[in-house]
Protein backbone atom coordinates (compact mmCIF):
# COMPACT_ATOMS: atom_id res chain seq x y z
CA UNK A 1 0.00 0.00 0.00
CA UNK A 2 1.03 3.65 -0.36
CA UNK A 3 2.53 5.44 2.62
CA UNK A 4 -0.19 6.49 5.09
CA UNK A 5 -0.70 10.07 6.21
CA UNK A 6 1.74 10.34 9.14
CA UNK A 7 -0.70 11.90 11.63
CA UNK A 8 -4.41 12.58 11.99
CA UNK A 9 -5.60 15.00 14.68
CA UNK A 10 -9.20 14.25 15.70
CA UNK A 11 -10.74 16.97 17.83
CA UNK A 12 -14.14 18.12 19.09
CA UNK A 13 -16.17 18.92 22.17
CA UNK A 14 -18.76 16.12 21.85
CA UNK A 15 -17.21 12.91 23.15
CA UNK A 16 -19.63 10.71 21.21
CA UNK A 17 -18.91 12.40 17.87
CA UNK A 18 -15.17 12.23 18.56
CA UNK A 19 -15.38 8.53 19.42
CA UNK A 20 -17.38 7.80 16.25
CA UNK A 21 -14.85 9.68 14.13
CA UNK A 22 -11.97 7.73 15.68
CA UNK A 23 -13.70 4.40 15.05
CA UNK A 24 -14.32 5.29 11.41
CA UNK A 25 -10.80 6.62 10.87
CA UNK A 26 -9.00 3.69 12.53
CA UNK A 27 -11.07 1.19 10.53
CA UNK A 28 -10.16 3.05 7.34
CA UNK A 29 -6.46 3.20 8.20
CA UNK A 30 -6.24 -0.46 9.20
CA UNK A 31 -8.09 -1.76 6.18
CA UNK A 32 -7.77 -5.54 6.13
CA UNK A 33 -4.78 -5.60 8.48
CA UNK A 34 -4.93 -7.72 11.64
CA UNK A 35 -5.71 -5.33 14.52
CA UNK A 36 -3.65 -7.38 16.97
CA UNK A 37 -0.57 -6.86 14.79
CA UNK A 38 -1.07 -3.41 13.29
CA UNK A 39 -2.76 -1.38 16.04
CA UNK A 40 -1.27 0.23 19.16
CA UNK A 41 -3.53 2.20 21.50
CA UNK A 42 -2.64 4.44 24.43
CA UNK A 43 -5.21 5.78 26.87
CA UNK A 44 -5.57 7.11 30.40
CA UNK A 45 -3.21 9.51 32.13
CA UNK A 46 -0.19 7.24 32.54
CA UNK A 47 1.39 7.51 29.10
CA UNK A 48 3.32 10.40 27.54
CA UNK A 49 3.90 11.22 23.89
CA UNK A 50 7.38 9.71 24.07
CA UNK A 51 5.90 6.19 24.13
CA UNK A 52 3.58 7.12 21.26
CA UNK A 53 6.59 8.22 19.23
CA UNK A 54 8.44 5.02 20.15
CA UNK A 55 5.54 2.94 18.85
CA UNK A 56 5.26 4.97 15.65
CA UNK A 57 9.02 4.74 15.12
CA UNK A 58 8.95 0.93 15.28
CA UNK A 59 8.61 -0.80 11.89
CA UNK A 60 5.57 -3.10 11.78
CA UNK A 61 6.04 -6.86 12.10
CA UNK A 62 3.84 -9.23 10.10
CA UNK A 63 1.96 -6.22 8.65
CA UNK A 64 2.76 -3.56 6.07
CA UNK A 65 1.75 -0.61 8.24
CA UNK A 66 1.10 0.39 11.85
CA UNK A 67 -1.65 2.59 13.35
CA UNK A 68 -0.90 4.26 16.69
CA UNK A 69 -3.84 5.80 18.57
CA UNK A 70 -3.29 8.26 21.44
CA UNK A 71 -6.52 9.03 23.32
CA UNK A 72 -7.15 11.79 25.80
CA UNK A 73 -4.38 13.86 24.23
CA UNK A 74 -5.92 17.14 25.34
CA UNK A 75 -3.77 17.01 28.46
CA UNK A 76 -0.63 17.59 26.36
CA UNK A 77 -1.25 21.33 26.19
CA UNK A 78 2.28 22.65 26.67
CA UNK A 79 5.17 22.90 24.26
CA UNK A 80 7.36 20.58 26.34
CA UNK A 81 4.59 17.95 26.37
CA UNK A 82 4.43 17.73 22.58
CA UNK A 83 8.15 18.18 21.88
CA UNK A 84 8.81 14.45 21.19
CA UNK A 85 5.94 14.34 18.68
CA UNK A 86 7.00 17.58 17.01
CA UNK A 87 10.52 16.19 16.57
CA UNK A 88 9.18 12.89 15.18
CA UNK A 89 6.98 14.66 12.61
CA UNK A 90 10.06 16.25 11.08
CA UNK A 91 10.91 12.80 9.67
CA UNK A 92 8.03 10.36 10.36
CA UNK A 93 8.27 6.65 9.61
CA UNK A 94 6.59 5.98 6.27
CA UNK A 95 4.81 2.86 7.51
CA UNK A 96 3.16 4.45 10.57
CA UNK A 97 0.04 6.58 11.03
CA UNK A 98 -0.65 8.31 14.33
CA UNK A 99 -4.22 9.13 15.39
CA UNK A 100 -3.99 11.88 18.02
CA UNK A 101 -7.37 12.21 19.75
CA UNK A 102 -7.60 15.75 21.12
CA UNK A 103 -10.26 15.18 23.76
CA UNK A 104 -10.60 15.57 27.51
CA UNK A 105 -8.44 13.21 29.53
CA UNK A 106 -9.82 11.58 32.73
CA UNK A 107 -10.27 14.25 35.40
CA UNK A 108 -9.74 17.12 32.96
CA UNK A 109 -12.40 19.85 33.14
CA UNK A 110 -11.57 22.01 30.13
CA UNK A 111 -10.13 21.12 26.75
CA UNK A 112 -7.05 23.20 25.99
CA UNK A 113 -6.08 24.46 22.55
CA UNK A 114 -3.62 22.47 20.45
CA UNK A 115 -0.11 23.93 20.99
CA UNK A 116 0.96 26.09 18.05
CA UNK A 117 4.18 24.11 17.59
CA UNK A 118 2.23 20.89 17.22
CA UNK A 119 -0.29 22.42 14.79
CA UNK A 120 2.58 23.71 12.66
CA UNK A 121 4.37 20.33 12.74
CA UNK A 122 1.18 18.50 11.70
CA UNK A 123 0.66 20.86 8.78
CA UNK A 124 4.31 20.65 7.73
CA UNK A 125 4.23 16.84 7.79
CA UNK A 126 1.13 16.72 5.59
CA UNK A 127 -1.09 15.58 8.44
CA UNK A 128 -4.86 15.90 8.52
CA UNK A 129 -7.21 17.47 11.05
CA UNK A 130 -10.64 15.91 11.61
CA UNK A 131 -12.92 18.45 13.31
CA UNK A 132 -16.04 16.70 14.59
CA UNK A 133 -17.97 19.70 15.92
CA UNK A 134 -20.88 20.44 13.56
CA UNK A 135 -20.83 24.19 14.22
CA UNK A 136 -23.65 26.42 15.41
CA UNK A 137 -24.83 28.19 12.27
CA UNK A 138 -27.48 26.87 9.91
CA UNK A 139 -24.95 26.61 7.08
CA UNK A 140 -22.48 24.68 9.21
CA UNK A 141 -25.19 22.25 10.32
CA UNK A 142 -26.37 21.75 6.73
CA UNK A 143 -22.79 21.00 5.68
CA UNK A 144 -22.35 18.54 8.57
CA UNK A 145 -25.50 16.63 7.61
CA UNK A 146 -24.58 16.59 3.91
CA UNK A 147 -21.17 15.16 4.73
CA UNK A 148 -22.75 12.52 7.00
CA UNK A 149 -25.23 11.41 4.35
CA UNK A 150 -22.54 11.36 1.63
CA UNK A 151 -20.27 9.09 3.70
CA UNK A 152 -23.02 6.91 5.19
CA UNK A 153 -22.90 3.15 4.47
CA UNK A 154 -26.60 3.29 3.53
CA UNK A 155 -28.45 5.62 1.18
CA UNK A 156 -31.33 7.60 2.68
CA UNK A 157 -34.09 9.07 0.54
CA UNK A 158 -34.80 12.78 0.93
CA UNK A 159 -37.81 12.09 3.16
CA UNK A 160 -35.68 9.83 5.40
CA UNK A 161 -32.99 12.49 5.63
CA UNK A 162 -35.56 15.12 6.56
CA UNK A 163 -37.10 12.87 9.20
CA UNK A 164 -33.72 12.10 10.76
CA UNK A 165 -32.74 15.76 10.86
CA UNK A 166 -36.06 16.81 12.36
CA UNK A 167 -36.06 14.04 14.95
CA UNK A 168 -32.42 14.61 15.93
CA UNK A 169 -32.75 18.36 16.43
CA UNK A 170 -29.71 19.56 18.37
CA UNK A 171 -28.70 16.03 19.43
CA UNK A 172 -26.47 15.06 16.51
CA UNK A 173 -24.27 12.61 18.40
CA UNK A 174 -26.54 9.61 17.77
CA UNK A 175 -26.65 10.01 13.97
CA UNK A 176 -23.31 8.32 13.06
CA UNK A 177 -24.09 5.33 15.29
CA UNK A 178 -27.56 5.08 13.74
CA UNK A 179 -25.98 4.75 10.30
CA UNK A 180 -24.00 1.73 11.50
CA UNK A 181 -27.13 0.20 12.98
CA UNK A 182 -28.97 0.67 9.68
CA UNK A 183 -26.04 -0.89 7.82
CA UNK A 184 -26.02 -3.95 10.08
CA UNK A 185 -29.80 -4.32 9.74
CA UNK A 186 -30.34 -3.71 6.04
CA UNK A 187 -26.89 -4.20 4.51
CA UNK A 188 -24.30 -1.83 3.11
CA UNK A 189 -25.54 0.27 0.21
CA UNK A 190 -29.23 -0.25 0.98
CA UNK A 191 -31.59 2.55 -0.02
CA UNK A 192 -33.95 3.39 2.83
CA UNK A 193 -37.01 5.62 3.02
CA UNK A 194 -38.56 7.31 6.04
CA UNK A 195 -40.77 4.34 6.85
CA UNK A 196 -37.72 2.08 7.16
CA UNK A 197 -35.76 4.54 9.29
CA UNK A 198 -38.53 5.74 11.64
CA UNK A 199 -38.61 2.64 13.93
CA UNK A 200 -34.93 3.19 14.77
CA UNK A 201 -35.43 6.78 15.92
CA UNK A 202 -36.06 7.74 19.51
CA UNK A 203 -37.90 10.72 20.93
CA UNK A 204 -37.49 14.08 19.24
CA UNK A 205 -34.46 16.00 20.46
CA UNK A 206 -33.84 19.68 21.09
CA UNK A 207 -33.90 22.11 18.18
CA UNK A 208 -31.67 25.11 17.37
CA UNK A 209 -33.09 28.51 18.37
CA UNK A 210 -33.62 29.61 14.77
CA UNK A 211 -36.38 27.00 14.43
CA UNK A 212 -38.39 29.02 16.95
CA UNK A 213 -37.56 32.45 15.55
CA UNK A 214 -38.21 31.38 11.95
CA UNK A 215 -41.62 30.00 12.92
CA UNK A 216 -42.48 33.26 14.68
CA UNK A 217 -41.28 35.34 11.72
CA UNK A 218 -43.48 33.45 9.27
CA UNK A 219 -46.50 33.57 11.61
CA UNK A 220 -46.73 29.79 12.24
CA UNK A 221 -47.87 29.43 15.87
CA UNK A 222 -48.13 25.62 15.76
CA UNK A 223 -44.53 25.23 14.59
CA UNK A 224 -43.38 27.87 17.08
CA UNK A 225 -45.04 26.07 20.00
CA UNK A 226 -43.58 22.73 18.88
CA UNK A 227 -40.09 24.23 18.70
CA UNK A 228 -40.53 25.87 22.10
CA UNK A 229 -41.70 22.58 23.63
CA UNK A 230 -38.70 20.70 22.25
CA UNK A 231 -36.26 23.39 23.42
CA UNK A 232 -37.68 23.24 26.95
CA UNK A 233 -38.24 19.50 27.37
CA UNK A 234 -36.02 17.44 25.02
CA UNK A 235 -33.47 15.42 26.94
CA UNK A 236 -35.04 16.24 30.31
Amino acid sequence: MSSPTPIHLVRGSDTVLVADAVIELVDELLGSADRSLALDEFTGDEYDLGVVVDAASTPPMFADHRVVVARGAGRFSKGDDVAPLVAYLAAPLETSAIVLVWELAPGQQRLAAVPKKLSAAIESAGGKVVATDPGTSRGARDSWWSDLFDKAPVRLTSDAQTLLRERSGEDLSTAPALMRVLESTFGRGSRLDAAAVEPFLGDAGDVPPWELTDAIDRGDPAAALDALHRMMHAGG
Side-chain angles (χ1 to χ4, degrees):
M1 61 171 290
S2 58
S3 300
T5 299
I7 185 167
H8 299 256
L9 176 69
V10 182
R11 66 182 183 189
S13 58
D14 188 306
T15 56
V16 176
L17 292 178
V18 169
D20 281 325
V22 172
I23 290 172
E24 180 181 349
L25 177 58
V26 170
D27 286 345
E28 177 185 340
L29 292 174
L30 285 174
S32 60
D34 187 330
R35 298 177 76 92
S36 65
L37 300 175
L39 178 64
D40 288 302
E41 293 190 80
F42 298 92
T43 188
D45 56 6
E46 296 298 323
Y47 79 92
D48 59 36
L49 290 180
V51 299
V52 174
V53 168
D54 288 343
S57 300
T58 304
M61 295 182 63
F62 310 112
D64 58 4
H65 63 289
R66 182 188 302 277
V67 178
V68 182
V69 180
R71 300 181 183 273
R75 63 189 176 90
F76 302 119
S77 59
K78 299 178 181 179
D80 290 345
D81 296 333
V82 299
L85 183 55
V86 170
Y88 167 81
L89 290 174
L93 192 66
E94 293 184 353
T95 52
S96 292
I98 296 175
V99 177
L100 189 66
V101 189
W102 202 262
E103 60 184 346
L104 290 172
Q108 195 176 13
Q109 300 299 319
R110 180 176 174 275
L111 186 61
V114 179
K116 292 181 179 180
K117 289 184 178 180
L118 178 57
S119 294
I122 291 172
E123 181 178 0
S124 179
K128 296 180 179 179
V129 176
V130 180
T132 63
D133 285 343
T136 57
S137 69
R138 185 195 301 271
R141 293 298 177 98
D142 288 344
S143 178
W144 187 89
W145 279 110
S146 295
D147 188 57
L148 176 73
F149 292 138
D150 288 343
K151 294 180 179 179
V154 294
R155 301 290 96 189
L156 301 187
T157 60
S158 59
D159 63 329
Q161 292 182 17
T162 300
L163 176 64
L164 176 56
R165 292 188 59 164
E166 291 178 348
R167 189 69 64 87
S168 297
E170 287 281 84
D171 184 14
L172 308 184
S173 61
T174 59
L178 173 65
M179 296 301 176
R180 293 195 293 272
V181 171
L182 293 175
E183 178 189 14
S184 66
T185 303
F186 297 101
R188 190 173 189 85
S190 297
R191 182 174 175 82
L192 307 175
D193 59 15
V197 173
E198 201 279 335
F200 296 87
L201 303 178
D203 295 333
D206 194 3
V207 295
W210 62 73
E211 293 287 347
L212 175 60
T213 56
D214 284 356
I216 294 173
D217 289 343
R218 66 175 181 267
D220 189 341
L225 288 172
D226 179 66
L228 180 62
H229 177 78
R230 290 177 64 176
M231 291 173 69
M232 294 178 64
H233 298 289

